[in-house]
Amino acid sequence: MSPVLGYWKDRCLAQSIRLLLAYKGVEYEDKQYEIGDPPDYDRTCWLSVKYKLELDFPNLPYYIDGDVKISQSVAILRYLGCRYGLEGGTEVERRRIDVLVNQAMDMEDQMLDVCYFNYDRKPQYLKELPRQIKQYCDFLGDRPWFAGETLTFADFLIYEFLDQHRVLDPTCLDAAPPLQRFITRLEALPPVREYMASPSFMTAPLFNKHSAYEIEQRAKKAAQKKK
Ligand SMILES: N[C@@H](CCC(=O)N[C@@H](CS)C(=O)NCC(=O)O)C(=O)O
């Protein structure tokens, strides 16, 4: 049976996993749970199966590959990295991956908090973004990939992380040519390029329907329609 990746019908924490799986040409089921419409945002489609999947810590995303049943997005990426030779070739590379992934997930948590629950803090978050982006830029330096010479699972995580920030603020990488080159390099990998051109590639929504960000997006679309 093909592995199953379960997540909401949006990008958020699953898109980097989808990208890695596409890069490796893994056949899998991209199981997307769709939250109900406002005002209820019914989550029954997920909650009705949440505790039946034999996950130690039931959550989304999850990945089921035979006897392997895991949640936690980074654990899934790391599992896939080890399974498909994208875990870093040296001690130094693996150390860089650890630091980077933990750092990026801290920031992702902040970004999600803003985009879901504290949207009034978005201007402040974006104001502080250049300082944060510079740190990723300096960390990459002139290496081709974030760990060093080898492409690793961390690159898929950081690619998606940067791209989500680009959606929030299209100018945020303007002062970071190394990060722009990294993005171009990853997008040019043939399986990634093919995946991005395919109908199964999701560009939106970034987040779930009940997030403040997506509520704003829908309001903007509705206002444009009225014009
Ligand atoms: N640290 C977890 C966070 C998982 C999480 O918060 N998942 C959210 C979507 S972003 C969810 O709706 N989970 C389903 C649930 O809580 O039942 C990870 O990285 O996977």
Side-chain angles (χ1 to χ4, degrees):
M1 227 172 69
S2 297
V4 181
L5 170 66
Y7 195 61
W8 297 113
K9 193 176 181 179
D10 63 59
R11 286 171 56 173
C12 203
L13 295 179
Q15 190 76 347
S16 53
I17 302 170
R18 295 183 184 119
L19 275 171
L20 187 157
L21 289 166
Y23 171 68
K24 277 295 171 183
V26 179
E27 285 200 13
Y28 72 103
E29 182 189 350
D30 192 357
K31 177 131 189 70
Q32 298 176 359
Y33 298 90
E34 187 166 12
I35 202 166
D37 287 328
D40 295 337
Y41 298 113
D42 181 41
R43 304 191 326 151
T44 308
C45 60
W46 160 239
L47 295 178
S48 60
V49 295
K50 178 170 177 174
Y51 297 102
K52 296 181 183 163
L53 296 169
E54 298 175 2
L55 292 158
D56 293 317
F57 300 99
N59 213 334
L60 293 171
Y62 65 76
Y63 191 73
I64 299 181
D65 186 5
D67 290 340
V68 175
K69 297 179 180 208
I70 44 175
S71 55
Q72 290 296 335
S73 51
V74 172
I76 296 168
L77 279 168
R78 190 180 298 279
Y79 164 74
L80 294 171
C82 293
R83 183 139 166 40
Y84 296 108
L86 293 168
E87 77 273 47
T90 65
E91 187 75 36
V92 173
E93 288 197 344
R94 287 190 288 273
R95 192 169 65 231
R96 286 178 60 81
I97 291 173
D98 261 352
V99 173
L100 177 71
V101 161
N102 282 293
Q103 183 66 33
M105 290 311 283
D106 279 359
M107 201 170 147
E108 182 85 8
D109 282 350
Q110 285 174 31
M111 193 254 266
L112 293 181
D113 181 59
V114 168
C115 290
Y116 271 79
F117 311 113
N118 290 297
Y119 211 50
D120 54 325
R121 293 194 199 146
K122 186 179 166 201
Q124 185 60 27
Y125 182 85
L126 294 183
K127 198 173 156 205
E128 287 166 16
L129 195 52
R131 192 172 46 87
Q132 301 277 355
I133 291 288
K134 185 175 182 316
Q135 292 179 354
Y136 290 89
C137 198
D138 292 346
F139 189 82
L140 178 66
D142 54 11
R143 296 167 188 82
W145 304 111
F146 271 93
E149 291 304 311
T150 13
L151 176 71
T152 70
F153 71 88
D155 293 302
F156 294 91
L157 183 132
I158 300 299
Y159 170 84
E160 177 61 14
F161 166 85
L162 293 175
D163 198 51
Q164 289 180 12
H165 280 87
R166 260 199 316 188
V167 177
L168 296 183
D169 176 3
T171 65
C172 74
L173 301 184
D174 284 0
L179 296 182
Q180 292 172 24
R181 285 194 289 275
F182 160 77
I183 283 181
T184 308
R185 195 173 293 125
L186 193 131
E187 287 175 349
L189 296 170
V192 171
R193 201 173 54 221
E194 275 165 40
Y195 176 54
M196 288 184 165
S198 75
S200 48
F201 181 67
M202 196 190 286
T203 53
L206 275 195
F207 308 121
N208 224 331
K209 280 182 198 167
H210 63 291
S211 66
Y213 173 81
E214 294 298 344
I215 291 172
E216 182 189 64
Q217 294 302 107
R218 289 200 298 277
K220 277 185 186 166
K221 267 192 199 152
Q224 263 170 2
K225 256 192 192 169
K226 272 191 188 163
K227 275 185 190 167

mmCIF file of all heavy atoms in Angstrom, residues 4 7 39 49 51 57 60 82-83 90 110 114 124-125 144 159 162 175 187 189 198:
data_model
loop_
_atom_site.group_PDB
_atom_site.id
_atom_site.type_symbol
_atom_site.label_atom_id
_atom_site.label_comp_id
_atom_site.label_asym_id
_atom_site.label_seq_id
_atom_site.Cartn_x
_atom_site.Cartn_y
_atom_site.Cartn_z
ATOM 1 N N VAL A 4 0.732 7.284 3.166
ATOM 2 C CA VAL A 4 -0.303 8.326 3.203
ATOM 3 C C VAL A 4 0.235 9.528 3.974
ATOM 4 O O VAL A 4 0.735 9.385 5.097
ATOM 5 C CB VAL A 4 -1.578 7.827 3.935
ATOM 6 C CG1 VAL A 4 -2.660 8.918 3.931
ATOM 7 C CG2 VAL A 4 -2.117 6.553 3.290
ATOM 8 N N TYR A 7 -3.104 15.752 5.930
ATOM 9 C CA TYR A 7 -3.028 17.149 6.372
ATOM 10 C C TYR A 7 -4.294 17.864 5.933
ATOM 11 O O TYR A 7 -5.089 17.346 5.162
ATOM 12 C CB TYR A 7 -1.792 17.859 5.798
ATOM 13 C CG TYR A 7 -1.490 19.168 6.514
ATOM 14 C CD1 TYR A 7 -1.191 19.169 7.862
ATOM 15 C CD2 TYR A 7 -1.552 20.385 5.847
ATOM 16 C CE1 TYR A 7 -0.950 20.354 8.545
ATOM 17 C CE2 TYR A 7 -1.306 21.573 6.517
ATOM 18 C CZ TYR A 7 -1.006 21.541 7.866
ATOM 19 O OH TYR A 7 -0.774 22.712 8.547
ATOM 20 N N PRO A 39 -19.731 29.890 9.556
ATOM 21 C CA PRO A 39 -19.027 30.319 10.777
ATOM 22 C C PRO A 39 -18.539 29.155 11.644
ATOM 23 O O PRO A 39 -17.816 29.387 12.593
ATOM 24 C CB PRO A 39 -20.117 31.113 11.517
ATOM 25 C CG PRO A 39 -21.395 30.415 11.113
ATOM 26 C CD PRO A 39 -21.187 29.924 9.707
ATOM 27 N N VAL A 49 -11.553 10.720 12.709
ATOM 28 C CA VAL A 49 -10.545 9.658 12.497
ATOM 29 C C VAL A 49 -9.294 9.860 13.355
ATOM 30 O O VAL A 49 -8.452 8.959 13.463
ATOM 31 C CB VAL A 49 -10.103 9.565 11.001
ATOM 32 C CG1 VAL A 49 -11.268 9.139 10.139
ATOM 33 C CG2 VAL A 49 -9.500 10.873 10.512
ATOM 34 N N TYR A 51 -8.247 9.709 16.353
ATOM 35 C CA TYR A 51 -7.749 8.734 17.343
ATOM 36 C C TYR A 51 -7.846 7.291 16.850
ATOM 37 O O TYR A 51 -7.682 6.364 17.621
ATOM 38 C CB TYR A 51 -8.496 8.930 18.679
ATOM 39 C CG TYR A 51 -8.215 10.311 19.248
ATOM 40 C CD1 TYR A 51 -9.150 11.323 19.121
ATOM 41 C CD2 TYR A 51 -6.993 10.603 19.844
ATOM 42 C CE1 TYR A 51 -8.877 12.606 19.592
ATOM 43 C CE2 TYR A 51 -6.711 11.875 20.325
ATOM 44 C CZ TYR A 51 -7.651 12.871 20.194
ATOM 45 O OH TYR A 51 -7.371 14.131 20.652
ATOM 46 N N PHE A 57 0.968 10.298 18.797
ATOM 47 C CA PHE A 57 0.535 11.661 19.129
ATOM 48 C C PHE A 57 -0.319 12.172 17.961
ATOM 49 O O PHE A 57 0.213 12.828 17.057
ATOM 50 C CB PHE A 57 1.759 12.566 19.360
ATOM 51 C CG PHE A 57 2.637 12.094 20.472
ATOM 52 C CD1 PHE A 57 3.797 11.362 20.208
ATOM 53 C CD2 PHE A 57 2.297 12.345 21.802
ATOM 54 C CE1 PHE A 57 4.605 10.905 21.238
ATOM 55 C CE2 PHE A 57 3.101 11.891 22.838
ATOM 56 C CZ PHE A 57 4.257 11.169 22.559
ATOM 57 N N LEU A 60 -1.981 16.597 12.775
ATOM 58 C CA LEU A 60 -1.754 16.831 11.351
ATOM 59 C C LEU A 60 -0.572 17.768 11.201
ATOM 60 O O LEU A 60 -0.530 18.779 11.927
ATOM 61 C CB LEU A 60 -3.000 17.481 10.715
ATOM 62 C CG LEU A 60 -4.265 16.610 10.648
ATOM 63 C CD1 LEU A 60 -5.462 17.450 10.214
ATOM 64 C CD2 LEU A 60 -4.066 15.455 9.679
ATOM 65 N N CYS A 82 16.061 10.459 6.044
ATOM 66 C CA CYS A 82 16.867 9.248 6.295
ATOM 67 C C CYS A 82 16.509 8.151 5.298
ATOM 68 O O CYS A 82 17.370 7.443 4.795
ATOM 69 C CB CYS A 82 16.635 8.730 7.716
ATOM 70 S SG CYS A 82 17.280 9.851 8.955
ATOM 71 N N ARG A 83 15.222 8.036 4.989
ATOM 72 C CA ARG A 83 14.776 6.953 4.085
ATOM 73 C C ARG A 83 15.263 7.180 2.661
ATOM 74 O O ARG A 83 15.540 6.233 1.938
ATOM 75 C CB ARG A 83 13.243 6.925 4.120
ATOM 76 C CG ARG A 83 12.573 5.840 3.329
ATOM 77 C CD ARG A 83 11.412 5.259 4.104
ATOM 78 N NE ARG A 83 10.443 4.425 3.446
ATOM 79 C CZ ARG A 83 10.656 3.496 2.533
ATOM 80 N NH1 ARG A 83 11.837 3.317 2.069
ATOM 81 N NH2 ARG A 83 9.662 2.765 2.041
ATOM 82 N N THR A 90 27.551 14.611 6.498
ATOM 83 C CA THR A 90 28.609 14.675 7.518
ATOM 84 C C THR A 90 28.020 15.152 8.842
ATOM 85 O O THR A 90 26.908 15.689 8.890
ATOM 86 C CB THR A 90 29.704 15.678 7.108
ATOM 87 O OG1 THR A 90 29.100 16.991 7.085
ATOM 88 C CG2 THR A 90 30.295 15.379 5.741
ATOM 89 N N GLN A 110 5.796 31.542 15.441
ATOM 90 C CA GLN A 110 5.438 32.963 15.611
ATOM 91 C C GLN A 110 4.567 33.425 14.448
ATOM 92 O O GLN A 110 3.583 34.126 14.623
ATOM 93 C CB GLN A 110 6.689 33.830 15.616
ATOM 94 C CG GLN A 110 7.495 33.770 16.903
ATOM 95 C CD GLN A 110 8.802 34.552 16.731
ATOM 96 O OE1 GLN A 110 8.864 35.524 16.002
ATOM 97 N NE2 GLN A 110 9.842 34.096 17.391
ATOM 98 N N VAL A 114 0.660 34.803 14.508
ATOM 99 C CA VAL A 114 0.224 36.081 13.924
ATOM 100 C C VAL A 114 -0.874 35.833 12.889
ATOM 101 O O VAL A 114 -1.930 36.473 12.909
ATOM 102 C CB VAL A 114 1.429 36.813 13.278
ATOM 103 C CG1 VAL A 114 0.964 37.986 12.418
ATOM 104 C CG2 VAL A 114 2.403 37.294 14.351
ATOM 105 N N GLN A 124 4.207 44.475 12.819
ATOM 106 C CA GLN A 124 5.416 44.364 13.651
ATOM 107 C C GLN A 124 6.258 43.154 13.231
ATOM 108 O O GLN A 124 7.483 43.231 13.133
ATOM 109 C CB GLN A 124 4.998 44.248 15.129
ATOM 110 C CG GLN A 124 6.145 44.250 16.133
ATOM 111 C CD GLN A 124 6.977 45.538 16.075
ATOM 112 O OE1 GLN A 124 6.469 46.594 15.695
ATOM 113 N NE2 GLN A 124 8.262 45.440 16.412
ATOM 114 N N TYR A 125 5.563 42.041 12.946
ATOM 115 C CA TYR A 125 6.270 40.829 12.498
ATOM 116 C C TYR A 125 7.039 41.126 11.201
ATOM 117 O O TYR A 125 8.212 40.779 11.076
ATOM 118 C CB TYR A 125 5.260 39.689 12.285
ATOM 119 C CG TYR A 125 5.912 38.387 11.878
ATOM 120 C CD1 TYR A 125 6.424 37.518 12.834
ATOM 121 C CD2 TYR A 125 6.038 38.035 10.535
ATOM 122 C CE1 TYR A 125 7.047 36.325 12.469
ATOM 123 C CE2 TYR A 125 6.660 36.854 10.159
ATOM 124 C CZ TYR A 125 7.161 35.999 11.127
ATOM 125 O OH TYR A 125 7.789 34.835 10.753
ATOM 126 N N PRO A 144 25.751 25.925 -1.677
ATOM 127 C CA PRO A 144 24.594 25.684 -2.548
ATOM 128 C C PRO A 144 23.335 25.325 -1.767
ATOM 129 O O PRO A 144 22.234 25.709 -2.131
ATOM 130 C CB PRO A 144 25.042 24.509 -3.434
ATOM 131 C CG PRO A 144 26.186 23.859 -2.726
ATOM 132 C CD PRO A 144 26.824 24.924 -1.865
ATOM 133 N N TYR A 159 12.809 26.152 2.065
ATOM 134 C CA TYR A 159 12.230 26.683 0.831
ATOM 135 C C TYR A 159 10.781 27.118 1.082
ATOM 136 O O TYR A 159 10.383 28.239 0.765
ATOM 137 C CB TYR A 159 12.272 25.641 -0.303
ATOM 138 C CG TYR A 159 11.470 26.115 -1.486
ATOM 139 C CD1 TYR A 159 12.032 26.977 -2.430
ATOM 140 C CD2 TYR A 159 10.119 25.788 -1.615
ATOM 141 C CE1 TYR A 159 11.275 27.475 -3.482
ATOM 142 C CE2 TYR A 159 9.353 26.293 -2.655
ATOM 143 C CZ TYR A 159 9.946 27.125 -3.587
ATOM 144 O OH TYR A 159 9.186 27.644 -4.617
ATOM 145 N N LEU A 162 10.490 30.116 3.411
ATOM 146 C CA LEU A 162 10.798 31.388 2.735
ATOM 147 C C LEU A 162 9.681 31.765 1.769
ATOM 148 O O LEU A 162 9.293 32.925 1.664
ATOM 149 C CB LEU A 162 12.133 31.292 1.982
ATOM 150 C CG LEU A 162 13.399 31.144 2.832
ATOM 151 C CD1 LEU A 162 14.624 30.934 1.946
ATOM 152 C CD2 LEU A 162 13.613 32.363 3.733
ATOM 153 N N ALA A 175 16.654 41.960 -0.374
ATOM 154 C CA ALA A 175 18.030 42.265 0.055
ATOM 155 C C ALA A 175 18.809 40.982 0.358
ATOM 156 O O ALA A 175 19.837 41.029 1.039
ATOM 157 C CB ALA A 175 17.980 43.158 1.286
ATOM 158 N N GLU A 187 13.969 25.284 -7.134
ATOM 159 C CA GLU A 187 12.856 25.222 -8.098
ATOM 160 C C GLU A 187 13.307 24.637 -9.438
ATOM 161 O O GLU A 187 12.486 24.168 -10.221
ATOM 162 C CB GLU A 187 12.268 26.627 -8.325
ATOM 163 C CG GLU A 187 11.445 27.119 -7.143
ATOM 164 C CD GLU A 187 10.956 28.547 -7.313
ATOM 165 O OE1 GLU A 187 11.422 29.249 -8.242
ATOM 166 O OE2 GLU A 187 10.122 28.975 -6.492
ATOM 167 N N LEU A 189 15.321 22.046 -9.786
ATOM 168 C CA LEU A 189 15.515 20.588 -9.740
ATOM 169 C C LEU A 189 14.402 19.966 -10.589
ATOM 170 O O LEU A 189 13.217 20.236 -10.330
ATOM 171 C CB LEU A 189 15.422 20.080 -8.293
ATOM 172 C CG LEU A 189 16.508 20.599 -7.332
ATOM 173 C CD1 LEU A 189 16.159 20.220 -5.880
ATOM 174 C CD2 LEU A 189 17.875 20.039 -7.708
ATOM 175 N N SER A 198 2.508 20.938 -12.276
ATOM 176 C CA SER A 198 1.423 19.950 -12.366
ATOM 177 C C SER A 198 0.170 20.451 -11.640
ATOM 178 O O SER A 198 0.248 21.311 -10.767
ATOM 179 C CB SER A 198 1.879 18.623 -11.759
ATOM 180 O OG SER A 198 1.879 18.735 -10.347
#
